[in-house]
Amino acid sequence: MSEVDIPKRKEKCENCTKKCNKKQSDDDANSHQDREEVNGQVHEGSQLLLSACLSCDGCLSEEESLKISQQSLEEVERVLALNKKCDVSKHKVLVASVCPQSLPFFAVKFGVDITEAAHKLCGFLKSLGVQYVFDSTLAAGFSILESQKEFVQRFRRRHHDSNALPMFTSSCPGWIRYSERVLGSLVTPHICTARSPQQIMGCLVKDYFSTQQKLRPEKVYHVLVAPCFDKKLEAVREEFYNSLLETRDVDCVLTSGEIYYLMEQRKVSVEELDSVPLDHVLGEAGDVALLRHEGRGSEGFLEHVFKHAAKELFGLDVHEITYKTLRNRDFQEVTLERDGETLLQFAAVYGFRNIQTLVHRMRKGRVPYQLVEVLSCPGGCLSGRGQAESDAGGRADKALVQQMEEAYCSLPVRLPEVNPTLHTLYQDWLQGQDSPQASTLLHTQYTSQTLTQPPHMQW
């Protein structure tokens, strides 16, 4: 972001928080009554919640706001309409990638199993004019494998690199935004550099798939269906934009809820939708076998990295992982021990309330973990606000989330290490697992973009 934008963003942020903290003008007596102590810090009852702040657009620059406005149903419909009107040479090839955490939402809404829901969704998207529909689990496999490799490297240099551990996962854009804009250098050097599944899928579509189809990247319009709104913010990051070709890896993110709304708007019933198999990135014929990675409703980075590290670093095979619940179900840890010695200690921390606890401990140097899987949504990705929010708004629909968890867990698990498609793509697309191409396309960097925090905000 340019230097000119930063003061504007700061001004917006201060205005936003002043408006949100309406009780500040109340008398001192009422203000003191609202004070509470959390983790040794005093918080005002009238203060703006961090989750509400990050989901608001008050700290966005005008340039960012414009980019976000293009992440909409209207923009996709505009591209579809142009394809019908303009010369064939100017047509865009529409490609949709569906996050595995979105499929359970459609399964519950459609009243069918996940495979049938994927086929019905594919049929709907293709009826709109989308030419290819992919499952993005493949991209998540790349992200997991690269995260595993990076963790082992960080663990081995931990004694001479103070920023090596703990390593924080990088798949959640809400967490990344908070880290870069609020926490800064306290956290950013510790964030895993592996790109998120969304952005690896973007590279896969715009770099590999477009080449296979003999298409220029800018001729492909890539839509990603995701469970949360924060994915829109990730898609418009500068490092994921090719200025020479004027194209993004992911052109538009639509939430599961937005797609379902479009179906309702067009009065499309599930029964009348054709069941169309998903497409293969490699172009093979036949249906795509839907699989999942380990973990409860997210991509399972903690479990995959834990098992890989146990084997790679200590020669131990871990088949089952036992979680120990600490503060709540969204703050859990797992431990690897041998002969009474703790070898590894990982944690899963979901939701901003638990993230704040983690950050408070880190400031005091009291984080015993080598890896922390961090997700901004309580309950993980299935509970994303783009699909799990109740009709009343603001809170997750617990009954819906439970149904989605059951649907998600019905899928068989396959380790990315044994996925033959990944091995093929590492060779044919990336020229090997440790190649410069793999480093460029599968990794990125996160940097501090912190602003001066307004005095009435305590995060």
Side-chain angles (χ1 to χ4, degrees), residues 72-140:
S72 64
L73 281 171
E74 291 75 19
E75 186 66 15
V76 174
E77 290 180 314
R78 184 189 68 80
V79 174
L80 288 167
L82 282 175
N83 272 1
K84 294 177 181 178
K85 295 178 182 178
C86 67
D87 183 85
V88 175
S89 63
K90 298 179 181 178
H91 281 193
K92 297 270 191 178
V93 174
L94 271 83
V95 175
S97 300
V98 183
C99 293
Q101 290 77 26
S102 288
L103 290 176
F105 169 81
F106 293 103
V108 173
K109 290 294 185 181
F110 295 169
V112 298
D113 63 34
I114 286 192
T115 299
E116 182 63 11
H119 291 175
K120 291 285 188 180
L121 177 61
C122 183
F124 174 67
L125 292 172
K126 290 197 171 184
S127 73
L128 297 177
V130 175
Q131 281 115 311
Y132 299 93
V133 181
F134 299 128
D135 168 27
S136 70
T137 303
L138 184 67

Side-chain angles (χ1 to χ4, degrees), residues 42-233:
V42 175
H43 291 252
E44 300 290 345
S46 62
Q47 282 174 335
L48 176 64
L49 290 175
L50 177 59
S51 54
C53 178
L54 292 184
S55 63
C56 152
D57 66 358
C59 64
L60 296 177
S61 68
E62 292 177 9
E63 182 183 1
E64 286 176 309
S65 297
L66 176 61
K67 291 173 184 175
I68 295 296
S69 70
Q70 294 169 347
Q71 303 277 310
S72 64
L73 281 171
E74 291 75 19
E75 186 66 15
V76 174
E77 290 180 314
R78 184 189 68 80
V79 174
L80 288 167
L82 282 175
N83 272 1
K84 294 177 181 178
K85 295 178 182 178
C86 67
D87 183 85
V88 175
S89 63
K90 298 179 181 178
H91 281 193
K92 297 270 191 178
V93 174
L94 271 83
V95 175
S97 300
V98 183
C99 293
Q101 290 77 26
S102 288
L103 290 176
F105 169 81
F106 293 103
V108 173
K109 290 294 185 181
F110 295 169
V112 298
D113 63 34
I114 286 192
T115 299
E116 182 63 11
H119 291 175
K120 291 285 188 180
L121 177 61
C122 183
F124 174 67
L125 292 172
K126 290 197 171 184
S127 73
L128 297 177
V130 175
Q131 281 115 311
Y132 299 93
V133 181
F134 299 128
D135 168 27
S136 70
T137 303
L138 184 67
F142 273 118
S143 191
I144 288 170
L145 291 177
E146 294 300 309
S147 296
Q148 289 177 173
K149 183 169 62 177
E150 181 170 333
F151 175 78
V152 169
Q153 292 170 348
R154 283 174 175 262
F155 188 89
R156 285 174 172 160
R157 68 172 190 263
R158 68 193 185 282
H159 294 305
H160 59 269
D161 181 358
S162 61
N163 291 325
L165 299 177
M167 184 177 94
F168 297 116
T169 57
S170 55
S171 64
C172 174
W175 157 244
I176 295 299
R177 186 174 177 81
Y178 175 40
S179 299
E180 290 186 322
R181 300 200 174 198
V182 179
L183 304 177
S185 58
L186 174 72
V187 164
T188 50
H190 296 269
I191 298 175
C192 178
T193 65
R195 292 193 187 196
S196 71
Q198 168 176 306
Q199 295 310 134
I200 290 179
M201 195 67 204
C203 283
L204 196 54
V205 167
K206 288 293 182 87
D207 190 73
Y208 176 79
F209 179 74
S210 63
T211 300
Q212 298 303 304
Q213 298 296 316
K214 297 180 172 56
L215 294 167
R216 298 193 308 275
E218 66 270 23
K219 296 291 289 182
V220 175
Y221 188 83
H222 185 202
V223 180
L224 188 124
V225 182
C228 85
F229 290 101
D230 286 345
K231 295 290 187 182
K232 296 174 185 280
L233 290 166

Side-chain angles (χ1 to χ4, degrees), residues 240-256:
F240 304 137
Y241 177 72
N242 187 320
S243 57
L244 292 177
L245 299 176
E246 296 185 344
T247 185
R248 295 191 175 281
D249 295 338
V250 177
D251 294 288
C252 183
V253 173
L254 296 178
T255 65
S256 317

Side-chain angles (χ1 to χ4, degrees), residues 21 23 31 33-36 43-49:
N21 286 273
K23 291 185 181 180
S31 179
Q33 288 175 1
D34 286 337
R35 292 163 70 90
E36 62 174 346
H43 291 252
E44 300 290 345
S46 62
Q47 282 174 335
L48 176 64
L49 290 175

Side-chain angles (χ1 to χ4, degrees), residues 2-20:
S2 68
E3 294 180 6
V4 176
D5 290 330
I6 291 177
K8 289 183 180 179
R9 193 175 66 190
K10 180 177 184 294
E11 181 183 348
K12 280 188 176 184
C13 185
E14 289 178 347
N15 289 337
C16 169
T17 54
K18 285 172 184 175
K19 289 176 184 176
C20 289

